[in-house]
Amino acid sequence: MQTGDLEDELTCAVCLHVYQDPVALPCLHSFCLKCIEGVWAQTTGPGGLECPQCRRKFNPRPSLERNFTLCNIVEKYNRSQPPADSAHAVCEYCIENPTPAVKTCLKCETSFCSRHLQPHLLKEAYKDHILIEPVTNLTDRQCIDHKRIPEFYCKDDVECVCVSCILAGKHKSHTLVSLDQAQAVIKEELEREIEKLRGVQQNCSSKQRDLGRSESEIKTQINELKGKLSNSFYEWRRQLEEDEEYTLKLIDEEGLRALSQIRNCSEALNKRMEQITLIDGEIQSLVQRDPLSFIQNWKQLLSRMTETQRVTDSDVPALTLNLSNISQLIQKRLNGWEKYHSDILGIIRKRSPMSLDPKTANWNLVLSDDLRSVTWTEQERPYPPHPERFQHYPQVLCSQGFSSGSHSWEVETDGNHWGIGIVCGSVEREGENSYLGNSCKSWCLYCYFGYPYAWHSSRFISLPQIQPKSRIRVQLDYEAETVSFYQVTDSLAHLHTFQTTFTECIFPAFYCGGKLLKLLN
C-alpha cells in the first residue's frame, strides 16, 4: 500500500483530511467527531439522522463511540509524517527575496525553492541526496550524539543513525539498511498490523451486532414472559376469588342448617312449656271452685297432666358446625392450585437455555464447551459408547425434552448441509430409521447447498431456496400437534409446518454435515 493509499484510508469523508478524534457509527463508517456533529447539527426533518457516506438512517440518534483502533493507526501515521512547520520553510538561496521552499535536502541540510532545486534533480552528483518536504528546523531530525542527519536505519537498536554512528559509534557492527528500505519494511509491518486491527474491528462489530440482537431478543422475551405470567397470575387470582366465594357460601349453608336445627328445638321446648303453664293455670282456677265443680273436673285435668308428663323430652343434640364436609370440598377445589403453580414454573423454565446432549452426539461431531454449538469433523472423537448415541449419521439431540406446552428455539446455520428438527425420545439410534425424517418418529427441515426440503416418514417436500447460512426458528405446539419452521431475517418467513400426532416426549434434533450449527436460545 502506497503512502497516498494509506492516507486515503485515514481520510474523513466529510473534511477530506486525516481523522481528528475519529468516532464510529453503527454502520461501521468513521468520521471526525466535530465533522459528524457538524453535519448532524444541520440535519432537519422527521426522518432522523443518516450516515454521510452510506446514507443509512438512524432514529433515534445513535451514540458516537470513539474508534480506538483508528485512533492508534492515525497516531502512528502522524508520527511518520513531516513536521507541521514545513509550510513556513523558505529557500536558503533566495536571500534578497525569500521564496517558499519546495524541498529540503537532508544531506545538504538546506531548503530549496523550485529554481534552486534543479541541480538536485538533474545532476548525477546529487542522486544520493535525500529530498523531503520542506522544514524550517532539522534539529529534531539530527543524531543526538553527532548532530548529523541520519542516513541509515539500525535494525538491531531499531533507530535511525548517521554516518558517524556507523564509523565510530556504538552501531559500528550492527545490521544497517537504508532509510528507504527501512521505510518499506515498516510500511509493510504497519499495513499488516492495520489488517489485523481491521479484523479485530470486524470481529468486534460482529459481536456488537450479536449483542444488539441479544438485547432485542431479551427485551422481547421479557415482555412475553411478563405477559404470560400476568395471565397465569390473573387466572390464579380469579380462581382464588371463586374459591373464596364458594367456601364462604358453604360455611353460610352449614350455619343456616345448624341455626335452623336450634330454632326447631327451641320452638318445641317453648310449645311444651306453654302447655305446662296452661295446665298449671287451669289447676289454680279449679281449686278455687266449689267442691262439686272441682270433683267433676279434676279427673279430666289429671288425665291431661298425665298425658303431658308421659311425653318424653328428646335430648338436645350437640349443635355445632359440621366443617368436615366443608374441609373435604375445599381441599378438592384447592388441589387445582397446583396446576397454576406448575404452569407458572413451566413458563419460567421454558426460558432456560437449551443445551446439546453429549451422550447422543455422533463420533464425527464436535460440541462446544457450552454445549450450544456443533461442528462436523472428519476425525472421529473418542466418545465412550452409549445406547443413546447416534451411530451412523452426524446427529445430536438436545438434553431438554417437551411433553406439553408451546416452545420455540432458534438455530444459526453456517454450512452447505444441515438439518434441524425434532424426534421422539424412542427414535432409533442406528440404521436408516435413525436418519432424521426417515421414520414416523422424526420431523426435519434439511438444507443442501441452499435447497431446503421438509422430511417426515421417508417423504419429503421441496421448499423455496434459502441461504445456507441462515437463522431458523422452530415452533413446537405439543397440544396442537404441530411443528413449524421459519427463516428469521428482518421478519419471519414461514417455511413449513408439520401437522402430526405426538404420543411421547419430544426432543430438538440436529444434523450437522458441514460447518456450524449454533443454538441461540
Side-chain angles (χ1 to χ4, degrees), residues 14-28:
V14 175
C15 65
L16 302 181
H17 292 95
V18 175
Y19 291 112
Q20 295 281 335
D21 195 14
V23 293
L25 303 186
C27 60
L28 304 183

mmCIF file with all atom_site columns, all heavy atoms in Angstrom, residues 14-28:
data_model
loop_
_atom_site.group_PDB
_atom_site.id
_atom_site.type_symbol
_atom_site.label_atom_id
_atom_site.label_alt_id
_atom_site.label_comp_id
_atom_site.label_asym_id
_atom_site.label_entity_id
_atom_site.label_seq_id
_atom_site.pdbx_PDB_ins_code
_atom_site.Cartn_x
_atom_site.Cartn_y
_atom_site.Cartn_z
_atom_site.occupancy
_atom_site.B_iso_or_equiv
_atom_site.pdbx_formal_charge
_atom_site.auth_seq_id
_atom_site.auth_comp_id
_atom_site.auth_asym_id
_atom_site.auth_atom_id
_atom_site.pdbx_PDB_model_num
ATOM 1   N N   . VAL A 1 14 ? -15.905 13.677 5.262  1.00 0.00 ? 14 VAL A N   1
ATOM 2   C CA  . VAL A 1 14 ? -16.548 14.990 5.351  1.00 0.00 ? 14 VAL A CA  1
ATOM 3   C C   . VAL A 1 14 ? -15.546 16.110 5.101  1.00 0.00 ? 14 VAL A C   1
ATOM 4   O O   . VAL A 1 14 ? -15.716 16.934 4.206  1.00 0.00 ? 14 VAL A O   1
ATOM 5   C CB  . VAL A 1 14 ? -17.233 15.165 6.723  1.00 0.00 ? 14 VAL A CB  1
ATOM 6   C CG1 . VAL A 1 14 ? -17.808 16.574 6.860  1.00 0.00 ? 14 VAL A CG1 1
ATOM 7   C CG2 . VAL A 1 14 ? -18.342 14.132 6.902  1.00 0.00 ? 14 VAL A CG2 1
ATOM 8   N N   . CYS A 1 15 ? -14.456 16.119 5.893  1.00 0.00 ? 15 CYS A N   1
ATOM 9   C CA  . CYS A 1 15 ? -13.481 17.218 5.774  1.00 0.00 ? 15 CYS A CA  1
ATOM 10  C C   . CYS A 1 15 ? -12.352 16.910 4.806  1.00 0.00 ? 15 CYS A C   1
ATOM 11  O O   . CYS A 1 15 ? -11.569 17.789 4.451  1.00 0.00 ? 15 CYS A O   1
ATOM 12  C CB  . CYS A 1 15 ? -12.907 17.557 7.146  1.00 0.00 ? 15 CYS A CB  1
ATOM 13  S SG  . CYS A 1 15 ? -11.923 16.220 7.884  1.00 0.00 ? 15 CYS A SG  1
ATOM 14  N N   . LEU A 1 16 ? -12.233 15.617 4.383  1.00 0.00 ? 16 LEU A N   1
ATOM 15  C CA  . LEU A 1 16 ? -11.208 15.165 3.438  1.00 0.00 ? 16 LEU A CA  1
ATOM 16  C C   . LEU A 1 16 ? -9.795  15.361 3.974  1.00 0.00 ? 16 LEU A C   1
ATOM 17  O O   . LEU A 1 16 ? -8.835  15.508 3.208  1.00 0.00 ? 16 LEU A O   1
ATOM 18  C CB  . LEU A 1 16 ? -11.367 15.868 2.085  1.00 0.00 ? 16 LEU A CB  1
ATOM 19  C CG  . LEU A 1 16 ? -12.734 15.690 1.402  1.00 0.00 ? 16 LEU A CG  1
ATOM 20  C CD1 . LEU A 1 16 ? -12.754 16.415 0.070  1.00 0.00 ? 16 LEU A CD1 1
ATOM 21  C CD2 . LEU A 1 16 ? -13.034 14.212 1.216  1.00 0.00 ? 16 LEU A CD2 1
ATOM 22  N N   . HIS A 1 17 ? -9.646  15.353 5.295  1.00 0.00 ? 17 HIS A N   1
ATOM 23  C CA  . HIS A 1 17 ? -8.340  15.371 5.948  1.00 0.00 ? 17 HIS A CA  1
ATOM 24  C C   . HIS A 1 17 ? -8.199  14.128 6.815  1.00 0.00 ? 17 HIS A C   1
ATOM 25  O O   . HIS A 1 17 ? -9.178  13.411 7.054  1.00 0.00 ? 17 HIS A O   1
ATOM 26  C CB  . HIS A 1 17 ? -8.178  16.633 6.815  1.00 0.00 ? 17 HIS A CB  1
ATOM 27  C CG  . HIS A 1 17 ? -8.089  17.892 6.018  1.00 0.00 ? 17 HIS A CG  1
ATOM 28  N ND1 . HIS A 1 17 ? -9.200  18.686 5.751  1.00 0.00 ? 17 HIS A ND1 1
ATOM 29  C CD2 . HIS A 1 17 ? -7.048  18.499 5.394  1.00 0.00 ? 17 HIS A CD2 1
ATOM 30  C CE1 . HIS A 1 17 ? -8.841  19.733 5.021  1.00 0.00 ? 17 HIS A CE1 1
ATOM 31  N NE2 . HIS A 1 17 ? -7.535  19.631 4.783  1.00 0.00 ? 17 HIS A NE2 1
ATOM 32  N N   . VAL A 1 18 ? -6.964  13.889 7.274  1.00 0.00 ? 18 VAL A N   1
ATOM 33  C CA  . VAL A 1 18 ? -6.737  12.751 8.164  1.00 0.00 ? 18 VAL A CA  1
ATOM 34  C C   . VAL A 1 18 ? -7.591  12.925 9.421  1.00 0.00 ? 18 VAL A C   1
ATOM 35  O O   . VAL A 1 18 ? -7.752  14.041 9.928  1.00 0.00 ? 18 VAL A O   1
ATOM 36  C CB  . VAL A 1 18 ? -5.242  12.639 8.537  1.00 0.00 ? 18 VAL A CB  1
ATOM 37  C CG1 . VAL A 1 18 ? -5.025  11.526 9.571  1.00 0.00 ? 18 VAL A CG1 1
ATOM 38  C CG2 . VAL A 1 18 ? -4.418  12.358 7.287  1.00 0.00 ? 18 VAL A CG2 1
ATOM 39  N N   . TYR A 1 19 ? -8.156  11.819 9.887  1.00 0.00 ? 19 TYR A N   1
ATOM 40  C CA  . TYR A 1 19 ? -9.107  11.863 11.012 1.00 0.00 ? 19 TYR A CA  1
ATOM 41  C C   . TYR A 1 19 ? -8.559  12.637 12.203 1.00 0.00 ? 19 TYR A C   1
ATOM 42  O O   . TYR A 1 19 ? -7.386  12.512 12.579 1.00 0.00 ? 19 TYR A O   1
ATOM 43  C CB  . TYR A 1 19 ? -9.445  10.442 11.488 1.00 0.00 ? 19 TYR A CB  1
ATOM 44  C CG  . TYR A 1 19 ? -10.253 9.635  10.521 1.00 0.00 ? 19 TYR A CG  1
ATOM 45  C CD1 . TYR A 1 19 ? -9.725  8.521  9.880  1.00 0.00 ? 19 TYR A CD1 1
ATOM 46  C CD2 . TYR A 1 19 ? -11.572 9.981  10.243 1.00 0.00 ? 19 TYR A CD2 1
ATOM 47  C CE1 . TYR A 1 19 ? -10.468 7.772  8.993  1.00 0.00 ? 19 TYR A CE1 1
ATOM 48  C CE2 . TYR A 1 19 ? -12.333 9.236  9.343  1.00 0.00 ? 19 TYR A CE2 1
ATOM 49  C CZ  . TYR A 1 19 ? -11.768 8.148  8.719  1.00 0.00 ? 19 TYR A CZ  1
ATOM 50  O OH  . TYR A 1 19 ? -12.510 7.410  7.851  1.00 0.00 ? 19 TYR A OH  1
ATOM 51  N N   . GLN A 1 20 ? -9.431  13.413 12.801 1.00 0.00 ? 20 GLN A N   1
ATOM 52  C CA  . GLN A 1 20 ? -9.173  14.067 14.080 1.00 0.00 ? 20 GLN A CA  1
ATOM 53  C C   . GLN A 1 20 ? -10.192 13.547 15.091 1.00 0.00 ? 20 GLN A C   1
ATOM 54  O O   . GLN A 1 20 ? -11.380 13.771 14.948 1.00 0.00 ? 20 GLN A O   1
ATOM 55  C CB  . GLN A 1 20 ? -9.312  15.597 13.931 1.00 0.00 ? 20 GLN A CB  1
ATOM 56  C CG  . GLN A 1 20 ? -8.281  16.243 13.028 1.00 0.00 ? 20 GLN A CG  1
ATOM 57  C CD  . GLN A 1 20 ? -6.933  16.417 13.732 1.00 0.00 ? 20 GLN A CD  1
ATOM 58  O OE1 . GLN A 1 20 ? -6.885  16.487 14.950 1.00 0.00 ? 20 GLN A OE1 1
ATOM 59  N NE2 . GLN A 1 20 ? -5.868  16.469 12.959 1.00 0.00 ? 20 GLN A NE2 1
ATOM 60  N N   . ASP A 1 21 ? -9.734  12.795 16.088 1.00 0.00 ? 21 ASP A N   1
ATOM 61  C CA  . ASP A 1 21 ? -10.633 12.202 17.099 1.00 0.00 ? 21 ASP A CA  1
ATOM 62  C C   . ASP A 1 21 ? -11.746 11.399 16.416 1.00 0.00 ? 21 ASP A C   1
ATOM 63  O O   . ASP A 1 21 ? -12.928 11.709 16.537 1.00 0.00 ? 21 ASP A O   1
ATOM 64  C CB  . ASP A 1 21 ? -11.228 13.293 17.989 1.00 0.00 ? 21 ASP A CB  1
ATOM 65  C CG  . ASP A 1 21 ? -11.859 12.726 19.251 1.00 0.00 ? 21 ASP A CG  1
ATOM 66  O OD1 . ASP A 1 21 ? -11.607 11.538 19.567 1.00 0.00 ? 21 ASP A OD1 1
ATOM 67  O OD2 . ASP A 1 21 ? -12.617 13.456 19.903 1.00 0.00 ? 21 ASP A OD2 1
ATOM 68  N N   . PRO A 1 22 ? -11.394 10.324 15.674 1.00 0.00 ? 22 PRO A N   1
ATOM 69  C CA  . PRO A 1 22 ? -12.406 9.583  14.903 1.00 0.00 ? 22 PRO A CA  1
ATOM 70  C C   . PRO A 1 22 ? -13.410 8.845  15.790 1.00 0.00 ? 22 PRO A C   1
ATOM 71  O O   . PRO A 1 22 ? -13.051 8.304  16.835 1.00 0.00 ? 22 PRO A O   1
ATOM 72  C CB  . PRO A 1 22 ? -11.560 8.595  14.092 1.00 0.00 ? 22 PRO A CB  1
ATOM 73  C CG  . PRO A 1 22 ? -10.300 8.423  14.888 1.00 0.00 ? 22 PRO A CG  1
ATOM 74  C CD  . PRO A 1 22 ? -10.050 9.756  15.533 1.00 0.00 ? 22 PRO A CD  1
ATOM 75  N N   . VAL A 1 23 ? -14.680 8.824  15.351 1.00 0.00 ? 23 VAL A N   1
ATOM 76  C CA  . VAL A 1 23 ? -15.745 8.078  16.027 1.00 0.00 ? 23 VAL A CA  1
ATOM 77  C C   . VAL A 1 23 ? -16.416 7.185  14.991 1.00 0.00 ? 23 VAL A C   1
ATOM 78  O O   . VAL A 1 23 ? -16.418 7.491  13.793 1.00 0.00 ? 23 VAL A O   1
ATOM 79  C CB  . VAL A 1 23 ? -16.787 9.011  16.685 1.00 0.00 ? 23 VAL A CB  1
ATOM 80  C CG1 . VAL A 1 23 ? -16.172 9.775  17.832 1.00 0.00 ? 23 VAL A CG1 1
ATOM 81  C CG2 . VAL A 1 23 ? -17.385 9.968  15.658 1.00 0.00 ? 23 VAL A CG2 1
ATOM 82  N N   . ALA A 1 24 ? -16.984 6.051  15.457 1.00 0.00 ? 24 ALA A N   1
ATOM 83  C CA  . ALA A 1 24 ? -17.616 5.083  14.566 1.00 0.00 ? 24 ALA A CA  1
ATOM 84  C C   . ALA A 1 24 ? -19.126 5.111  14.723 1.00 0.00 ? 24 ALA A C   1
ATOM 85  O O   . ALA A 1 24 ? -19.638 5.221  15.843 1.00 0.00 ? 24 ALA A O   1
ATOM 86  C CB  . ALA A 1 24 ? -17.086 3.675  14.837 1.00 0.00 ? 24 ALA A CB  1
ATOM 87  N N   . LEU A 1 25 ? -19.845 5.020  13.609 1.00 0.00 ? 25 LEU A N   1
ATOM 88  C CA  . LEU A 1 25 ? -21.302 4.909  13.606 1.00 0.00 ? 25 LEU A CA  1
ATOM 89  C C   . LEU A 1 25 ? -21.685 3.422  13.614 1.00 0.00 ? 25 LEU A C   1
ATOM 90  O O   . LEU A 1 25 ? -20.851 2.558  13.341 1.00 0.00 ? 25 LEU A O   1
ATOM 91  C CB  . LEU A 1 25 ? -21.880 5.603  12.374 1.00 0.00 ? 25 LEU A CB  1
ATOM 92  C CG  . LEU A 1 25 ? -21.534 7.087  12.197 1.00 0.00 ? 25 LEU A CG  1
ATOM 93  C CD1 . LEU A 1 25 ? -22.307 7.655  11.015 1.00 0.00 ? 25 LEU A CD1 1
ATOM 94  C CD2 . LEU A 1 25 ? -21.818 7.880  13.451 1.00 0.00 ? 25 LEU A CD2 1
ATOM 95  N N   . PRO A 1 26 ? -22.961 3.116  13.907 1.00 0.00 ? 26 PRO A N   1
ATOM 96  C CA  . PRO A 1 26 ? -23.391 1.711  13.883 1.00 0.00 ? 26 PRO A CA  1
ATOM 97  C C   . PRO A 1 26 ? -23.184 1.024  12.531 1.00 0.00 ? 26 PRO A C   1
ATOM 98  O O   . PRO A 1 26 ? -23.080 -0.190 12.469 1.00 0.00 ? 26 PRO A O   1
ATOM 99  C CB  . PRO A 1 26 ? -24.879 1.803  14.244 1.00 0.00 ? 26 PRO A CB  1
ATOM 100 C CG  . PRO A 1 26 ? -24.999 3.045  15.063 1.00 0.00 ? 26 PRO A CG  1
ATOM 101 C CD  . PRO A 1 26 ? -24.009 3.998  14.471 1.00 0.00 ? 26 PRO A CD  1
ATOM 102 N N   . CYS A 1 27 ? -23.133 1.788  11.434 1.00 0.00 ? 27 CYS A N   1
ATOM 103 C CA  . CYS A 1 27 ? -22.905 1.209  10.108 1.00 0.00 ? 27 CYS A CA  1
ATOM 104 C C   . CYS A 1 27 ? -21.432 0.948  9.843  1.00 0.00 ? 27 CYS A C   1
ATOM 105 O O   . CYS A 1 27 ? -21.063 0.528  8.747  1.00 0.00 ? 27 CYS A O   1
ATOM 106 C CB  . CYS A 1 27 ? -23.478 2.136  9.041  1.00 0.00 ? 27 CYS A CB  1
ATOM 107 S SG  . CYS A 1 27 ? -22.733 3.788  9.048  1.00 0.00 ? 27 CYS A SG  1
ATOM 108 N N   . LEU A 1 28 ? -20.550 1.232  10.838 1.00 0.00 ? 28 LEU A N   1
ATOM 109 C CA  . LEU A 1 28 ? -19.100 0.993  10.822 1.00 0.00 ? 28 LEU A CA  1
ATOM 110 C C   . LEU A 1 28 ? -18.314 2.044  10.047 1.00 0.00 ? 28 LEU A C   1
ATOM 111 O O   . LEU A 1 28 ? -17.097 1.920  9.935  1.00 0.00 ? 28 LEU A O   1
ATOM 112 C CB  . LEU A 1 28 ? -18.784 -0.409 10.266 1.00 0.00 ? 28 LEU A CB  1
ATOM 113 C CG  . LEU A 1 28 ? -19.446 -1.580 10.981 1.00 0.00 ? 28 LEU A CG  1
ATOM 114 C CD1 . LEU A 1 28 ? -18.980 -2.896 10.372 1.00 0.00 ? 28 LEU A CD1 1
ATOM 115 C CD2 . LEU A 1 28 ? -19.146 -1.536 12.467 1.00 0.00 ? 28 LEU A CD2 1
#
